[in-house]
């Protein structure tokens, strides 16, 4: 009786263990089938133990043609890829993982696809056997979109290059026509206005040229940028007989291309204003200084001259000219404030962007 009881008990335990194993297997299969991407479960010899429903659906194969077969034999050998074999046979066993390995292949019944493979080695507490989980993600669409994006970016660069070239040529043509017209008109007042317009067009051309040279970096170093701009302005606007120097100072800093464009135009207008109003024909050792300083997100652009200030030279006056209006409009776009200080030593116009000013508590 005791012997038969022991046999029955052992049989019950074995049946319970078998039931638990089957339940665990069904649970694991349900998890695998829930995953949207195709998944293969391989044994240590890289033989398929099971596969997810998404694998069968994606590659249009049947379980009986997949389970129990070596990975490299699936689909008439289209998974027999040397680099994949290296990863699964050497790298995964040694490191336990394979990530983002891409396979490009013309799969039967599916067509050309780019698949991203990720593998994990599964270790068990008991027993020496291991399994490998192989996840397969179809990234064909993403790679096509990336290539299309790269093509569009290249086309954009070509178009921008063409636009820059056409803008530069157009500005040169406009400047030449204005200068030619200035030589033919009889009115001295009209001639002065035309020459002034010519200088402004040339200054815009200088800004455009320097910005185009810096466009590839995404940001513009203001020190070298203002130096090149002032060199161009000095060449085009200060005659050899005028003893006026134009220099750049300050700690410098960087700005976006859009900000640099506005700052360059502001500097140009203020330099023009100094040349027109700060110095007389008898001026000796005239000097204009362009400075740009940065502190965190705050910055200040200032143009100073040592000339004798005239009423028209004061930017703070209610009635302003074209240049003053341009400066104030550009400063407003930059969320900056324009201030003018005039004294015996000359005039300084500062354009300041200081974000902390708006955050400081008001003192009552």
């Amino acid at each position: 009786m005791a012997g038969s009881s022991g046999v029955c008990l052992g049989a019950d335990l074995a049946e319970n263990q078998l039931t638990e194993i089957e339940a665990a297997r069904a649970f694991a299969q349900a998890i695998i089938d829930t995953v949207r991407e195709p998944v293969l479960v391989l044994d240590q010899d890289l033989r398929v133990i099971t596969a997810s429903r998404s694998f069968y659906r994606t590659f249009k194969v049947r379980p009986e043609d997949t389970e129990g077969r070596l990975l490299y034999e699936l689909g008439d050998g289209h998974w027999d890829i040397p680099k994949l074999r290296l990863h699964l046979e050497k790298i995964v066993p040694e490191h336990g993982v394979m990530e983002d390995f891409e396979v490009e292949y013309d799969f039967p019944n599916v067509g050309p696809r780019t698949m991203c493979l990720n593998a994990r080695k599964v270790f068990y507490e008991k027993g020496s056997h291991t399994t490998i989980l192989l996840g397969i993600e179809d990234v064909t669409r993403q790679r096509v979109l990336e290539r299309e994006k790269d093509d569009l970016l290249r086309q954009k660069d070509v178009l921008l290059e063409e636009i820059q070239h056409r803008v530069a040529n157009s500005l040169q043509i406009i400047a030449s026509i204005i200068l030619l017209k200035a030589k033919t008109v009889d009115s001295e007042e009209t001639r002065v206005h035309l020459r002034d317009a010519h200088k402004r067009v040339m200054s815009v051309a200088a800004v455009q040229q320097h910005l185009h040279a810096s466009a590839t970096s995404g940001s513009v170093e203001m020190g070298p940028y203002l130096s090149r701009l002032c060199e161009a302005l000095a060449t085009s606007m200060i005659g050899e007989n005028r003893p006026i120097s134009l220099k750049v100072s300050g700690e410098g800093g960087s700005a976006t291309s859009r900000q640099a464009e506005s700052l360059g135009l502001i500097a140009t207008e203020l330099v023009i204003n100094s040349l027109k109003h700060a110095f007389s024909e008898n001026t000796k050792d005239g000097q204009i200084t362009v400075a740009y300083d940065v502190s965190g997100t705050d910055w200040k652009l200032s143009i100073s001259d040592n000339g004798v200030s005239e009423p028209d030279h004061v930017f703070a006056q209610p009635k302003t000219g074209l240049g003053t209006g341009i400066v104030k409009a550009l400063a407003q776009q930059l969320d900056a404030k324009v201030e003018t200080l005039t004294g015996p030593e000359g005039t300084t116009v500062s354009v300041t962007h200081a974000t902390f000013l708006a955050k400081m508590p008001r003192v009552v």
Side-chain angles (χ1 to χ4, degrees):
M1 293 290 292
S4 62
S5 298
V7 173
C8 290
L9 180 60
D12 291 340
L13 289 175
E15 185 176 353
N16 290 336
Q17 289 179 350
L18 183 61
T19 302
E20 290 177 0
I21 292 173
E22 291 296 331
R25 181 182 178 87
F27 180 69
Q29 185 66 46
I31 294 175
I32 293 173
D33 287 337
T34 304
V35 179
R36 295 178 59 183
E37 287 77 22
V39 175
L40 285 175
V41 181
L42 309 174
D43 63 15
Q44 57 189 3
D45 297 323
L46 302 181
R47 194 176 300 274
V48 179
I49 299 174
T50 186
S52 65
R53 287 186 298 178
S54 56
F55 178 86
Y56 298 125
R57 183 171 58 252
T58 299
F59 295 100
K60 298 179 174 57
V61 293
R62 298 177 302 173
E64 53 267 30
D65 297 328
T66 304
E67 295 178 2
R69 300 185 63 184
L70 291 172
L71 173 66
Y72 311 125
E73 296 176 352
L74 298 181
D76 295 328
H78 58 261
W79 289 103
D80 190 7
I81 302 170
K83 287 186 177 181
L84 179 59
R85 292 187 71 126
L86 173 65
H87 278 73
L88 293 178
E89 293 177 355
K90 182 175 179 62
I91 296 178
V92 173
E94 292 180 359
H95 301 279
V97 63
M98 177 185 73
E99 292 184 338
D100 300 330
F101 178 78
E102 291 195 3
V103 173
E104 292 185 1
Y105 194 81
D106 189 355
F107 293 94
N109 304 322
V110 178
R113 287 290 186 273
T114 301
M115 298 294 182
C116 182
L117 308 183
N118 291 276
R120 290 290 186 279
K121 189 176 181 180
V122 181
F123 299 91
Y124 297 92
E125 294 182 1
K126 297 181 180 180
S128 59
H129 75 285
T130 60
T131 57
I132 296 175
L133 297 179
L134 179 63
I136 307 168
E137 181 184 3
D138 189 349
V139 295
T140 306
R141 182 59 178 167
Q142 292 93 311
R143 298 298 176 264
V144 170
L145 292 176
E146 289 172 1
R147 286 193 291 268
E148 290 178 352
K149 179 198 71 174
D150 293 339
D151 290 340
L152 289 174
L153 288 175
R154 282 192 291 270
Q155 293 177 20
K156 181 207 72 172
D157 291 338
V158 172
L159 290 174
L160 284 177
E161 189 73 25
E162 179 66 20
I163 291 173
Q164 294 283 1
H165 180 70
R166 290 182 180 273
V167 168
N169 286 346
S170 298
L171 289 172
Q172 291 294 335
I173 293 172
I174 293 171
S176 300
I177 293 174
I178 293 174
L179 191 60
L180 181 63
K181 195 66 177 178
K183 294 179 180 179
T184 59
V185 296
D186 296 329
S187 170
E188 182 63 25
E189 180 180 3
T190 303
R191 186 178 296 110
V192 170
H193 288 309
L194 287 173
R195 287 176 177 172
D196 188 49
H198 173 263
K199 292 177 180 178
R200 282 191 166 86
V201 172
M202 292 305 296
S203 69
V204 172
V207 170
Q208 186 267 344
Q209 179 182 0
H210 296 316
L211 286 176
H212 176 53
S214 305
T216 55
S217 63
S219 63
V220 179
E221 289 296 325
M222 292 302 297
Y225 166 60
L226 290 174
S227 296
R228 292 193 298 269
L229 177 60
C230 288
E231 289 175 5
L233 292 174
T235 301
S236 62
M237 301 179 64
I238 301 176
E240 295 180 356
N241 298 326
R242 297 190 72 183
I244 301 173
S245 63
L246 177 58
K247 69 175 185 177
V248 176
S249 66
E251 297 179 358
S254 62
T256 65
S257 180
R258 185 180 295 274
Q259 290 173 335
E261 180 181 7
S262 297
L263 290 169
L265 292 174
I266 289 173
T268 298
E269 289 299 329
L270 293 177
V271 169
I272 291 175
N273 193 76
S274 292
L275 291 172
K276 289 174 63 177
H277 301 291
F279 305 105
S280 64
E281 295 180 356
N282 300 323
T283 296
K284 295 181 180 180
D285 299 325
Q287 183 173 295
I288 301 174
T289 302
V290 178
Y292 183 79
D293 296 289
V294 176
S295 177
T297 58
D298 303 332
W299 54 261
K300 181 171 74 172
L301 173 70
S302 60
I303 285 79
S304 305
D305 64 62
N306 64 348
V308 179
S309 180
E310 298 180 6
D312 288 341
H313 192 40
V314 181
F315 270 70
Q317 62 180 347
K319 185 177 181 180
T320 59
L322 175 61
T324 305
I326 292 174
V327 169
K328 289 187 174 181
L330 291 171
Q332 186 176 9
Q333 292 179 4
L334 293 170
D335 193 21
K337 182 180 180 181
V338 181
E339 294 180 318
T340 304
L341 297 176
T342 304
E345 297 181 354
T347 300
T348 298
V349 181
S350 300
V351 182
T352 307
H353 173 78
T355 55
F356 62 86
L357 289 178
K359 299 178 181 178
M360 291 180 62
R362 177 179 295 181
V363 178
V364 181

